[in-house]
Each structure stands twice: as C-alpha cells, then as structure tokens.
Amino acid sequence: MATDNNRFQAIISHCKEYGFIFQSSEIYDGLSAVYDYGQWGSELKKNIRDYWWKSMTQMHENIVGIDAAIFMHPTTWKASGHVDNFSDPMIDNKDSKKRYRVDHLLEAKADELEKEGKKAEADALLAEMDKLLAANDYDGLKKLIEDANIKCAISGTKNWTEVRQFNLMFSTQLGSVSEEASEIYLRPETAQGIFVNFLNVQKTGRMKIPFGIAQTGKAFRNEIVARQFIFRMREFEQMEMQFFIRPGSQKEWYEYWKEERMKWHLSLGIPKEKFRFHDHVKLAHYADAACDIEYEFPIGFKELEGIHSRTDFDLKNHQLYSKKKMQYFDPEINQNYIPYVLETSVGLDRTFMMVISEAYTEEDLSTADKQDSRVVLKLQPKLAPIKLAVLPLLKKDGLPEIAREIMNNCKSHFRCFYEEKDAIGRRYRRMDAIGTPFCVTIDHQTKEDGTVTIRHRDSMQQDRIPASQVRELVAKYLI
Ligand code: ATP
C-alpha cells in the first residue's frame, strides 16, 4: 500500500492514465497550474457540480441559480475591494529570484517542525504568523522568516527581499488596446456576478428575504505558488452561494450554513473525522466572521470551502460606486435596508480532489496460489462517470445483439458504456479503475433464460438477475 505522499502521486498518475485529468497543453510541456479534465474527469466533475446545484437550488425553495459572465465592468472590482486588497504578502529569494507566499513558507516550516516532533514550536510559529498577518506587519513577517531559519528550496540561501503585496487578478484588454478604460479583469471569484444581479433576481423572481442565489463557474487567480496538482490552480471553478438576510441575523445564519455545508460533505459518504472547521484569525476585508471547512487531503488538512459572513460590504459598495440603490423593502418589518450576506464558497476542483482521494483504493486480492491486486475507485454511484458497463462475454453467437438491447434500454436513463474486447476479467478491472459501480455480462445462459450477471464493483459480488431488471436496479442507486 502506498504511503500518503506516494498515495498522492499514485492518485495523480491514475487520473492521467485513466482519462480523468491531463496537464494543460501537455504537448508543449504543459502550462503551470492549469489542468484539463479528460473524458471521465469531466463526467465526474459535472456530476459533483450537478449534485451541488441540486442540493442548493432544488432542495432549498428559497435559493435560485444564475450563470453570470466571467467578464464584468472593471468598476466591479474596485467596489469589491479586489483592486486594492486582493493580494498576498510575498517574499523573493534574491539568489534564486523565486517568489514565495509568506504564509506558505511559514506553514511549510511548521510542517517540518511537526514532523521532527516539535509540535509546540510549530504551533507557536503559526500563532505568531497569524498575529503578524492580522496586523499587516510585513517587517515582523520578514523577521519571523529569518528567525525561523527558513531557506529557499532552490538556492538554499536566506537572502530574502522585503515582504510585499502582489495582486492576484489577471487583467486583459477589451476592445481597443490604447484606452485605459478597456482594461478588464478575469473574475477572481464568482460572487460578484451574484451581487451585481441581486436586484434583478430579487425583483424578477419576487424573492423575499431570506433568500439565496447560487452560481458555479470559472474563476482566475494568478497564484504565485501554484502547486499540489488541482488543489491550487490559476484557472479553477467555484460553486458559490450568497444568502441575503436581514441585518443582525448573520450570527444565526452563519451557524446554520456551517452545519448545512458540513452535512453536504458528509452526504458524499466521507467520514466525519476527515473534516474540521478552521476559524479565520485574519478576516478578509469584507467579513465579520469566517471559517474554512478543511478536509484531510493526502497532503494534509487543507481548505476545501470557505463560509463567510460578508455583512453588507459588497452591496453597500456597489451602491456607492454604481449610484444605484441596492435596497430591499422588507414588508414584515416595514423597512428598507441593504441586506447582509452569508456566503458559502467551495472549490469544485478541490471537491473533485477530495472525492477521488477518498475513492482511490488499492486492493490486494492475492490468494495462496496467485498474486493479484486491483485499483478501484469506490465512487458513489451518483457521482461515477459511468453507471453501467454492458459487456457481452463473446463477440459472437448473438450476445452483442442482446447487449445492445440492454444498452438501448438504459442509455437514455444514465451513462452506460459498451465493450466487447478482451477477457472479461480485464474489462472488469478497467471499469473498477474508473469507478463504474455496475457491470452486466451477457453470456450463453442469457439466450436460454433471459438472465444476465450483474457485478457489484466494491464487493465484486456477482448475481444472476433477469435482463429486464437491470435498469431499475442501477437507477435505484442513483438518487
Ligand atoms: P486559499 O487560502 O487556499 O488560497 P482562499 O481562502 O483564497 O483559498 P476563497 O477565496 O475563500 O479561497 O475561495 C473559495 C474556494 O475556492 C476555496 O475554498 C477553494 O476551494 C477554492 N479555490 C480558491 N483558490 C483556488 C485555486 N487557486 N485553485 C483551486 N481552488 C481554489
């Protein structure tokens, strides 16, 4: 069995080998921290996104979804604070010219200390870092890096520059390049598309507070330290929901959404102990309370989702910059106000990484006389890229024809896959590797009595059932 680091590398290789994730533009040696989802990865990603969307919109009567554009008026990002504040403290090593995020350098050092059994020292380092970050004390941060004896991984030296802020937004030109006004940004979060449409949705949907607007879509950040596979990318996808509430009720809704979102993650079949909450010490410029849901990835506990109490910061600023009223008239209390907002913001790619890390299983199937093993993705059927593989035992004797009938009966209900090449054992293993929960095999007995063998991926148990019951059996697992 692979150790955690080996396990992570094994998962990355598996994703590539079985068509889940490829490095972007690989034929040109790839583009750093940008990835493409392949034939099965895109299905799995879509199924996760659909499940989130359904949980948010279909399952909450007071939440609706939108699909806003990636490009937005540049003033949006002034109002949101991203032009002035969306930056991370960075430090460069003068010898290697490599730039690091200050918090990443210090966290890596703390990890190292913890591995050496110096947990108290590691905790003290992180506590000091949080304090200095909260105070924007850049000189203090530099001193902390020096005192902790942190060296650049490339040059091996401690020759550091001052700590500076670095904006993470990508900009591009809209239309004519010479005008200053034509500079626009690729959105660094999907949330602002929701805020600028708040009144459109509220009015046309006749929404009453409390209500939510959900959205999934691409976001872009010029991450300096982009690494760890799809955990930190420069182009990624978010699933965000902004919940508009009466001012003063934010504490109660904050607790509500913390619990709701944790329930959602647990509903993916992941054990409770793999999650934890992490309260923010340094609050973002828009928040009055914030926490992360962290998941224990093979690379350790890391942020999966943020839950933020954003107050009326965004709507108030959009009102200020656009000079359009962002108010809501609350008939229950007969008052106009700018609503407060509770945000849940989860990365789709990080959720993908969590789901595949949980599902990836190496099994030793050796017996006394034969060595054997398999890699199986134990994905929940509702998330699996393919739900049913239809496999005629032989390419002849009328078996493919019967298999095609089963395909035709099932494929408009859920994703099926037909294959007649290779020994049946090898075909089963290939389906295990991409997480197909059911395989149905058509053999000579099928011709006699109309039954087929259905094989369950996780237990590898095989049952004989009438071919006419296959669709119903699989569909039962997809809810
Ligand atoms: P981090 O501290 O890891 O940089 P963040 O606190 O900046 O993340 P948020 O702005 O709260 O992240 O974004 C919400 C979610 O979007 C995160 O919880 C994460 O799942 C996802 N996300 C953010 N940045 C990236 C990225 N570069 N690549 C992949 N997912 C990301």
Side-chain angles (χ1 to χ4, degrees):
M1 287 295 130
T3 64
D4 263 6
N5 196 24
N6 292 343
R7 187 178 147 75
F8 187 45
Q9 293 310 321
I11 292 168
I12 296 173
S13 308
H14 191 83
C15 281
K16 175 161 187 214
E17 192 180 340
Y18 287 93
F20 283 87
I21 296 175
F22 308 120
Q23 172 86 61
S24 157
S25 332
E26 197 186 7
I27 58 167
Y28 295 105
D29 295 333
L31 185 65
S32 162
V34 185
Y35 290 91
D36 297 338
Y37 285 81
Q39 66 277 27
W40 305 133
S42 57
E43 292 281 349
L44 173 56
K45 188 177 172 196
K46 177 180 175 301
N47 293 342
I48 297 172
R49 188 196 296 114
D50 287 350
Y51 178 54
W52 180 89
W53 185 261
K54 181 176 169 192
S55 311
M56 277 298 175
T57 59
Q58 198 171 322
M59 303 306 286
H60 289 95
E61 290 172 29
N62 58 352
I63 301 181
V64 290
I66 63 164
D67 183 10
I70 287 172
F71 291 141
M72 300 183 70
H73 192 283
T75 312
T76 309
W77 305 110
K78 234 7 232 166
S80 69
H82 282 81
V83 170
D84 297 323
N85 292 310
F86 193 55
S87 50
D88 282 326
M90 303 284 177
I91 193 164
D92 295 7
N93 182 271
K94 288 185 194 161
D95 299 318
S96 66
K97 308 272 183 280
K98 179 135 177 78
R99 181 166 291 166
Y100 295 91
R101 246 174 81 168
V102 165
D103 56 337
H104 287 168
L105 266 187
L106 288 160
E107 276 163 8
K109 181 70 185 183
D111 278 351
E112 204 181 297
L113 289 169
E114 204 165 331
K115 281 200 193 103
E116 291 166 9
K118 300 175 184 161
K119 172 122 178 51
E121 232 179 283
D123 289 347
L125 185 69
L126 292 179
E128 184 62 14
M129 173 185 86
D130 281 342
K131 212 172 83 193
L132 294 168
L133 281 172
N136 287 328
D137 182 348
Y138 300 137
D139 292 343
L141 284 164
K142 182 177 180 194
K143 186 160 179 311
L144 191 64
I145 288 171
E146 285 167 348
D147 292 351
N149 209 14
I150 296 175
K151 293 184 188 141
C152 167
I154 294 168
S155 66
T157 70
K158 296 186 282 179
N159 196 7
W160 298 110
T161 61
E162 298 308 305
V163 172
R164 281 183 303 239
Q165 294 279 31
F166 181 89
N167 198 292
L168 299 180
M169 281 198 294
F170 283 102
S171 66
T172 187
Q173 305 289 330
L174 188 72
S176 147
V177 285
S178 55
E179 292 163 40
E180 216 210 290
S182 66
E183 186 184 31
I184 57 168
Y185 298 102
L186 297 187
R187 66 181 177 195
E189 62 173 26
T190 57
Q192 297 305 323
I194 294 178
F195 290 124
V196 299
N197 279 298
F198 157 70
L199 277 184
N200 284 338
V201 174
Q202 191 272 318
K203 291 214 158 89
T204 57
R206 299 154 55 83
M207 308 299 289
K208 292 213 165 32
I209 275 181
F211 74 92
I213 304 179
Q215 174 168 228
T216 72
K218 287 279 177 122
F220 304 83
R221 294 181 188 181
N222 199 359
E223 300 278 5
I224 290 304
V225 194
R227 53 177 184 180
Q228 293 165 327
F229 195 38
I230 56 169
F231 181 80
R232 189 175 301 286
M233 299 194 287
R234 297 203 164 101
E235 173 180 343
F236 57 99
E237 201 165 330
Q238 289 185 315
M239 305 190 286
E240 296 198 302
M241 194 277 302
Q242 313 292 325
F243 200 68
F244 299 91
I245 56 173
R246 205 178 275 171
S249 64
Q250 65 268 34
K251 278 212 171 59
E252 162 197 330
W253 285 113
Y254 180 62
E255 293 307 322
Y256 173 86
W257 280 110
K258 270 175 78 171
E259 200 178 308
E260 271 293 287
R261 293 305 301 148
M262 186 59 98
K263 270 198 233 150
W264 187 83
H265 292 294
L266 295 174
S267 77
L268 297 172
I270 300 170
K272 230 178 31 228
E273 56 278 10
K274 298 293 272 298
F275 294 104
R276 69 183 187 195
F277 284 108
H278 169 81
D279 292 324
H280 286 201
V281 181
K282 178 175 165 56
L283 291 173
H285 56 275
Y286 51 75
D288 78 347
C291 68
D292 299 331
I293 296 180
E294 295 186 340
Y295 163 75
E296 189 175 18
F297 289 98
I299 45 175
F301 268 104
K302 303 243 176 244
E303 173 176 344
L304 169 70
E305 169 154 15
I307 296 163
H308 309 127
S309 172
R310 291 182 81 125
T311 67
D312 57 358
F313 176 88
D314 302 87
L315 290 180
K316 204 166 70 189
N317 271 353
H318 285 306
Q319 175 168 296
L320 188 74
Y321 279 82
S322 69
K323 308 205 168 39
K324 308 272 175 354
K325 281 244 176 304
M326 288 288 165
Q327 282 188 343
Y328 168 81
F329 176 71
D330 191 331
E332 277 176 38
I333 53 172
N334 222 10
Q335 257 180 39
N336 273 309
Y337 55 78
I338 298 179
Y340 268 39
V341 171
L342 234 294
E343 167 182 78
T344 71
S345 174
V346 62
L348 176 51
D349 312 272
R350 285 189 194 175
T351 310
F352 183 110
M353 188 161 140
M354 166 175 80
V355 165
I356 209 146
S357 305
E358 276 302 312
Y360 181 87
T361 314
E362 295 174 8
E363 279 180 358
D364 186 354
L365 304 173
S366 299
T367 54
D369 29 59
K370 197 170 144 234
Q371 283 237 321
D372 197 8
S373 66
R374 70 168 180 162
V375 171
V376 50
L377 291 187
K378 296 189 171 176
L379 295 168
Q380 283 188 335
K382 67 173 180 266
L383 299 183
I386 297 169
K387 316 300 182 188
L388 176 72
V390 181
L391 313 172
L393 194 62
L394 300 172
K395 265 194 252 180
K396 53 183 188 187
D397 301 340
L399 303 186
E401 286 75 6
I402 305 175
R404 284 286 174 203
E405 260 177 54
I406 298 176
M407 274 297 282
N408 289 338
N409 184 30
C410 294
K411 72 182 182 192
S412 64
H413 296 263
F414 42 78
R415 186 78 150 91
C416 303
F417 183 83
Y418 179 88
E419 192 175 45
E420 51 185 35
K421 264 215 317 274
D422 290 339
I424 194 71
R426 291 182 63 184
R427 283 184 266 168
Y428 283 156
R429 290 297 154 84
R430 280 202 293 268
M431 286 299 116
D432 289 344
I434 59 172
T436 306
F438 299 102
C439 291
V440 70
T441 308
I442 296 91
D443 57 16
H444 287 99
Q445 194 184 326
T446 314
K447 281 171 65 177
E448 284 160 28
D449 62 8
T451 63
V452 291
T453 304
I454 188 134
R455 175 185 180 270
H456 298 254
R457 176 197 64 203
D458 297 352
S459 62
M460 293 191 284
Q461 190 185 317
Q462 303 191 10
D463 301 321
R464 202 92 211 166
I465 62 164
S468 57
Q469 287 178 12
V470 169
R471 188 173 91 195
E472 210 182 325
L473 184 143
V474 176
K476 248 188 8 218
Y477 285 86
L478 303 181
I479 301 154

